[in-house]
Amino acid sequence: MKVTTTWEGKRAFTSEGPSGYSVGMDATAKYGGDGKGMTPMELLLAGLGGCMGIDITMILDRFLPSIERIDIVAEGKRKEENPTGFTAIDLTFHVDGDIPDYRVWKAIEMGKEKYCAVSDSLKAEIHMHLVLNGVDTPKPA
């Protein structure tokens, strides 16, 4: 896979990959940017959420008609010193629908451990949480 990232002036860049789609990035004003795009660290969390989302919807494909919503919130904790990479990431899956918790948890675990290339590429510890139909739902024993 090859992605080309092109400088757009100041701290702004645009990346385009084999899909043909592009995404703009910029630094915040604190780092001399204009904030006209997501930061690279935001994109990393978005990539993790997207990868896990695609994987769990593939795993749960036959149950998708029973699912009304899937939102994935990624919250990263970063080191204080440079480079300020992520040390831990909490992924909270908000799922609404008529589906048993064990099926959703199984899909989450399979996504993280077997299929998600983004989670496999990160050094940070990734912690999973499930909120099913508005209720915090621990992983079944």
Side-chain angles (χ1 to χ4, degrees):
M1 175 183 300
K2 179 179 173 183
V3 173
T4 301
T5 302
T6 304
W7 181 48
E8 304 291 345
K10 289 183 82 174
R11 305 290 185 271
F13 289 84
T14 300
S15 293
E16 184 174 328
S19 65
Y21 291 99
S22 63
V23 63
M25 293 172 277
D26 197 358
T28 61
K30 177 181 175 182
Y31 295 105
D34 293 322
K36 292 184 178 179
M38 291 181 92
T39 68
M41 295 303 279
E42 288 173 320
L43 286 169
L44 190 127
L45 291 177
L48 177 60
C51 186
M52 286 296 298
I54 289 168
D55 290 339
I56 66 170
T57 57
M58 288 174 65
I59 294 164
L60 295 173
D61 189 56
R62 69 183 182 142
F63 301 100
L64 291 181
S66 301
I67 297 174
E68 299 162 14
R69 171 179 84 123
I70 301 173
D71 288 337
I72 303 165
V73 178
E75 185 174 355
K77 294 173 183 64
R78 296 174 71 174
K79 296 186 294 186
E80 295 287 325
E81 68 282 344
N82 286 326
T84 58
F86 292 117
T87 57
I89 299 171
D90 287 323
L91 277 184
T92 303
F93 297 81
H94 295 267
V95 179
D96 291 338
D98 186 21
I99 185 166
D101 64 344
Y102 71 90
R103 289 202 188 278
V104 180
W105 270 113
K106 179 76 172 173
I108 291 169
E109 289 175 332
M110 287 178 67
K112 179 180 180 268
E113 301 300 327
K114 189 172 181 179
Y115 297 111
C116 183
V118 177
S119 67
D120 187 57
S121 300
L122 298 174
K123 290 192 280 186
E125 290 183 38
I126 302 172
H127 307 280
M128 308 294 188
H129 310 277
L130 173 62
V131 177
L132 183 60
N133 297 313
V135 177
D136 191 19
T137 307
K139 186 165 47 169

